[in-house]
Amino acid sequence: PPLRLLRICLNERVLGGVEVNESSTLADVRQSIQEDEIPGVPVSYSFLFGGAPVTVRQETRRKALECFPFLSIIPEDASLPLAGSLSSLPSLQGAQLEVAEPSARGEVADSGHRLELQITDGPLEGTFLTVGEEGARVGRHTSNTLVIPEAGISRFHCEITFCDGQFGV
């Protein structure tokens, strides 16, 4: 199979590239990054797919060419910029969501209404998000607050709002 150069990016800057083919997974890319010792790659990092971190378990299933031509990485301890909290959001085909207690992550809730969301399945598995009174939009389109890169999710799937002291979908 033909090889293609997948560029590895951090903070919108290309650090280097690795060769991939149609059977290469993100786990293969991680191995190549380690072997090639690409300068600027943090010791501990996550890949981003559709704006969300990819779990190590998902790296063995996600094809590298799905990220072509640029694959972004973030330091493992980095937080994703996201406005808001998702409360009574139902399971979204392929992305199971669960409300988590803020204390479970060692955080103290600040003033205002906020909900902690833990995604337990799908392409965003393992991601924690917080949505506040400003609400959030969910869908495949990159303009959404929460981007879920799954075929079963519409581009503008739903909106979480805060009204009269409650979150609603």
Side-chain angles (χ1 to χ4, degrees), residues 71-89:
L71 176 58
S72 292
I73 61 172
I74 57 168
E76 195 134 302
D77 58 354
S79 61
L80 294 175
L82 193 69
S85 82
L86 304 166
S87 70
S88 56
L89 190 61

Side-chain angles (χ1 to χ4, degrees), residues 69-154:
F70 299 102
L71 176 58
S72 292
I73 61 172
I74 57 168
E76 195 134 302
D77 58 354
S79 61
L80 294 175
L82 193 69
S85 82
L86 304 166
S87 70
S88 56
L89 190 61
S91 178
L92 297 172
Q93 299 176 350
Q96 293 179 2
L97 311 173
E98 184 177 285
V99 175
E101 295 297 320
S103 60
R105 295 187 55 215
E107 297 174 5
V108 178
D110 55 28
S111 62
H113 293 87
R114 297 192 170 285
L115 285 169
E116 187 81 10
L117 171 74
Q118 177 182 7
I119 301 177
T120 58
D121 194 20
L124 306 178
E125 180 180 358
T127 303
F128 284 88
L129 307 170
T130 304
V131 175
E133 293 177 5
E134 66 276 8
R137 290 184 328 222
V138 179
R140 281 192 342 260
H141 196 272
T142 56
S143 67
N144 288 302
T145 311
L146 174 59
V147 178
I148 301 178
E150 280 289 309
I153 302 295
S154 351

Side-chain angles (χ1 to χ4, degrees), residues 20-67:
V20 296
N21 61 35
E22 62 190 33
S23 65
S24 300
T25 65
L26 291 183
D28 299 325
V29 170
R30 182 177 291 278
Q31 182 67 33
S32 294
I33 290 172
Q34 183 179 0
E35 289 170 0
D36 294 348
E37 298 178 354
I38 297 175
V41 174
V43 174
S44 185
Y45 63 90
S46 295
F47 294 116
L48 289 180
F49 180 79
V54 177
T55 65
V56 174
R57 188 176 98 183
Q58 292 169 337
E59 286 181 16
T60 59
R61 300 186 302 237
R62 178 78 56 201
K63 296 292 184 189
L65 286 180
E66 293 175 352
C67 305

